Amino acid sequence: MTGHGPGTKPGTKLPAPPPGWIIDADVVVVGSGVAGLTAALRCAAAGSRTVVVTKARLDDGSTRWAQGGIAAALGEGDTPEQHLDDTLVAGAGLCDEMAVRTLVTEGPDAVRRLIASGAQFDVSRTGGIALTREGGHHRSRIAHAGGDATGAEISRALVQAVRTHAPAAPAPAAPDATGAPATGLPQGSIRTVENALVLDLLTSPDDGRTTGVTLHVMGEGQHDGVGAVHAPAVVLATGGMGQVFSATTNPAVSTGDGVALALRAGAEVSDLEFVQFHPTVLYLGREAEGQQPLISEAVRGEGAYLVDADGERFMLGRHELAELAPRDIVAKGIMRRMRERGAEHMYLDARHFGAEMWEHRFPTILAACRAHGIDPVTEPIPVAPAAHYASGGVRTDLRGRTTVPGLYACGEAACTGVHGANRLASNSLLEGLVFAERIAQDIAQGIAQDSTHGDAHEPTLPATESAAAPALTTPLLPASARTAIQRIMTEGAGVLRSGTSLTRAAAQLAALSADTEHKPAEPGVDTWETANLHLVARVLVAAALRRTETRGCHWREDHPERDDAVWRRHLTVSLRPDARSSTLDTLDVRTTDATAFPPVEPSRGGPATEASTNASPSNAPSTHDPPTNPAPPGSQAAATEENP
């Protein structure tokens, strides 16, 4: 398998001015959640000159919003094998067992290293880590901090550690080949660039290897406008894409930037149809948009009940774990009861907790509810499912390597194979932690090998800036199209999907593209973000339309049953130019021939390892079957999204 999908021409990019300033580094990490900051800290500890690029402030990512906690087999009687079993069940037959085994066996020590770096978890009366239980877990294995502020505490500890690695003053470096002023960094330091939107990957015109990223700093900090960070290793840790829907638990920065960048660079993404809708999000009315308050799974873990308007517990009898069933099952249970009763929401009843428990165990949730006029101490909480987590993302191996040499991904932006068709509660923070450490180790080994063999990769002009290989430039949608995309996705690709709704959504998204071909919008943060949302929306819809079954958090009303014979396999998607247009691209949608992923091209030269060695054969030549036709068992099929 080559580094790019069949027929893919890498180098599609967003229209933007050329970089006006440059930073030279060994590693650039895009994102400042648990995955990004852990990768940066481990890379710096290995002596790498590291740059962290983040869209807002260092502590403004999705990690700080994580309420429940981090799952690991830390308790007495618990084992990694039991954690593995719960994860595989939640993943509905699509987890990569080797990836899950890596997560659960390396997870406990990774959490201990997180504690050693300064994170303070809640402790029990005996002085050990206090562990609780959440949906899908048969053991109490969720470590939490501040009651329901685990993400905020992890973010605090990691941000503080990163700031201690900041260089005293940037070191001057020689100007870039373009003449733009360049800045160097001392070994083992971490430089942060905040309020910066990453734009595109830079690659070498000679071998397609990663050479850095372009970015736009949004009016604050030392640099302003479009610049570049030159580095032979890029780590995407940009978080999710929840803002593609009208209602989500994700912060405003979650616009799928990393997944969109990777697609434009020629990387493959996988499993994007599996968007987890958190079952218990505070219902604020049908007109509510943007980030919605999450009512953590931990509330149900402590004994809260899901009830309808009559007070009936409707999850009893639907699953052995009732309210603590995996999230996809609870979300479907809520949606079914809403349909049966013609209701817009259900209720989460935790009045039996009492005021003291609410104030000490869930102070953040209590405050959020009261801010919206609801007091969970005295009344049930109105809840409904909302977009929460992308189980898919940029396809990687067990070292975080993507199909583009030198490009890595971890956290929610990645698809490691851990989550399968549905993420187990509180596995996300652990996945970010474990695979970020593995990425840092791989980068350090690669740098050492390059140094030994005199094979250092100096930053060069990327193919996207080379006259010999002009790039396909993505036409920009107006910023106002963002609301239209969210409406299209909510109506056509939300919790309930069908062939009809997805076909309509695909046509509406394509129509937005067609409108831009002759009247593109001007480059800017709003239009770049809208372009990213539009691209990930297209991929999600194409994959959801292709998968004609119900599995995990993908629910097809017209195909309500799980179909292991045909669909216990993955969909991979890459971009390629549209032969009918000089500006538009199209999606190459492919079906793997087994549950295991095809090999991922190693980021550096040498033999394939781990995920590459036990995976199924690479993709067969592309065909042009209609997107809704499933691949027959044991075959490798492909389809292309057609632009009307």
Side-chain angles (χ1 to χ4, degrees):
M1 180 176 176
T2 61
H4 307 292
T8 298
K9 178 181 180 294
T12 302
K13 66 174 185 177
L14 295 171
W21 50 268
I22 289 165
I23 301 173
D24 286 332
D26 298 316
V27 183
V28 55
V29 178
V30 187
S32 61
V34 62
L37 295 186
T38 298
L41 287 166
R42 299 295 181 265
C43 286
S48 295
R49 300 171 302 154
T50 305
V51 173
V52 174
V53 175
T54 187
K55 200 169 178 181
R57 299 189 307 273
L58 272 185
D59 61 353
D60 271 349
S62 294
T63 292
R64 68 180 287 238
W65 297 100
Q67 296 173 346
I70 185 167
L74 298 165
E76 184 178 354
D78 197 6
T79 65
E81 200 69 25
Q82 294 176 65
H83 190 181
L84 179 141
D85 289 343
D86 286 344
T87 301
L88 294 179
V89 169
L94 281 190
C95 295
D96 183 303
E97 185 169 340
M98 183 64 71
V100 178
R101 194 169 295 280
T102 298
L103 177 82
V104 300
T105 55
E106 297 182 10
D109 283 343
V111 172
R112 294 183 185 104
R113 285 189 290 273
L114 179 62
I115 294 171
S117 72
Q120 299 177 8
F121 289 92
D122 296 341
V123 297
S124 65
R125 294 178 181 177
T126 60
I129 298 175
L131 300 173
T132 190
R133 189 176 165 206
E134 292 184 3
H137 293 271
H138 284 79
R139 289 274 189 175
S140 294
R141 64 169 65 99
I142 316 302
H144 51 84
D148 59 356
T150 309
E153 170 56 19
I154 291 174
S155 180
R156 180 205 62 78
L158 293 175
V159 168
Q160 183 175 335
V162 163
R163 295 203 188 280
T164 65
H165 283 267
D176 175 70
T178 63
T183 301
L185 296 173
Q187 295 299 125
S189 64
I190 299 176
R191 178 160 180 194
T192 60
V193 182
E194 297 181 289
N195 303 299
L197 172 65
V198 68
L199 299 178
D200 281 303
L201 191 73
L202 301 177
T203 56
S204 167
D206 299 322
D207 56 11
R209 290 188 59 87
T210 295
T211 61
V213 294
T214 56
L215 62 152
H216 174 81
V217 177
M218 297 177 277
E220 296 185 27
Q222 180 176 346
H223 295 299
D224 193 9
V226 175
V229 181
H230 281 174
V234 172
V235 181
L236 296 178
T238 51
M241 55 182 193
Q243 291 293 327
V244 79
F245 295 97
S246 297
T248 177
T249 63
N250 291 185
V253 296
S254 297
T255 51
D257 306 323
V259 172
L261 175 150
L263 281 162
R264 289 193 296 270
E268 291 180 355
V269 303
S270 186
D271 294 353
L272 226 61
E273 67 270 32
F274 296 116
V275 175
Q276 187 175 83
F277 288 79
H278 197 287
T280 53
V281 176
L282 183 62
Y283 180 74
L284 300 179
R286 64 172 60 187
E287 301 302 322
E289 295 181 346
Q291 187 177 11
Q292 313 284 303
L294 174 69
I295 310 299
S296 170
E297 198 124 24
V299 178
R300 282 175 282 137
E302 295 287 359
Y305 306 132
L306 280 166
V307 298
D308 58 21
D310 296 327
E312 181 180 347
R313 288 182 63 188
F314 55 86
M315 285 304 299
L316 291 175
R318 292 182 183 265
H319 191 275
E320 60 167 338
L321 296 175
E323 283 89 355
L324 288 178
R327 288 177 177 174
D328 63 312
I329 294 172
V330 178
K332 290 171 186 174
I334 291 174
M335 293 300 297
R336 287 192 178 107
R337 182 51 64 102
M338 287 167 56
R339 278 182 157 190
E340 292 168 4
R341 297 301 174 91
E344 295 183 349
H345 61 83
M346 290 288 108
Y347 293 93
L348 188 64
D349 192 350
R351 290 174 290 180
H352 53 286
F353 285 6
E356 183 177 357
M357 181 175 175
W358 269 110
E359 290 166 1
H360 288 87
R361 181 66 178 88
F362 301 110
T364 306
I365 297 172
L366 178 64
C369 288
R370 285 177 171 171
H372 291 281
I374 299 157
D375 189 349
V377 176
T378 60
E379 60 186 315
I381 306 168
V383 294
H388 180 59
Y389 190 89
S391 294
V394 186
R395 188 164 75 83
T396 74
D397 65 7
L398 297 189
R399 294 186 182 275
R401 300 176 295 190
T402 75
T403 52
V404 175
L407 179 65
Y408 297 79
C410 57
E412 192 174 353
C415 182
T416 62
V418 161
H419 304 307
N422 181 52
R423 176 174 69 84
L424 181 64
S426 288
N427 267 356
S428 57
L429 292 176
L430 189 69
E431 183 200 28
L433 197 61
V434 167
F435 285 90
E437 291 187 339
R438 292 187 133 245
I439 286 172
Q441 182 181 35
D442 191 72
I443 290 173
Q445 290 174 348
I447 290 174
Q449 290 172 4
D450 287 350
S451 176
T452 300
H453 297 99
D455 187 28
H457 292 273
E458 295 297 327
T460 59
L461 281 174
T464 55
E465 296 177 10
S466 167
L472 180 69
T473 301
T474 302
L476 293 175
L477 281 72
S480 59
R482 177 171 181 155
T483 302
I485 294 168
Q486 293 170 331
R487 175 186 53 77
I488 291 167
M489 294 300 291
T490 299
E491 294 176 356
V495 181
L496 304 177
R497 305 166 176 176
S498 68
T500 300
S501 73
L502 290 165
T503 300
R504 182 173 60 249
Q508 291 171 331
L509 292 170
L512 292 177
S513 295
D515 290 343
T516 68
E517 191 167 6
H518 303 295
K519 296 180 181 180
E522 292 297 316
V525 173
D526 290 343
T527 53
W528 287 324
E529 281 190 333
T530 302
N532 289 338
L533 286 170
H534 184 255
L535 178 54
V536 297
R538 287 171 55 203
V539 174
L540 193 162
V541 168
L545 187 57
R546 177 85 169 158
R547 182 173 290 277
T548 50
E549 65 159 354
T550 289
R551 180 185 298 270
C553 49
H554 170 65
W555 187 1
R556 283 283 297 262
E557 294 181 280
D558 51 341
H559 295 278
E561 302 300 324
R562 172 170 155 174
D563 186 353
D564 280 351
V566 173
W567 280 115
R568 196 176 177 191
R569 60 198 73 242
H570 303 271
L571 291 169
T572 64
V573 184
S574 57
L575 273 185
R576 65 181 181 82
D578 186 342
R580 298 163 298 179
S581 170
S582 61
T583 58
L584 298 180
D585 51 42
T586 192
L587 303 180
D588 191 23
V589 184
R590 294 173 168 264
T591 312
T592 64
D593 63 358
T595 304
F597 282 123
V600 171
E601 181 79 4
S603 295
R604 297 182 181 275
T609 58
E610 296 182 306
S612 303
T613 61
N614 59 5
S616 57
S618 60
N619 289 340
S622 175
T623 63
H624 295 283
D625 298 332
T628 53
N629 290 344
S635 74
Q636 191 83 29
T640 301
E641 174 203 58
E642 299 293 343
N643 293 313

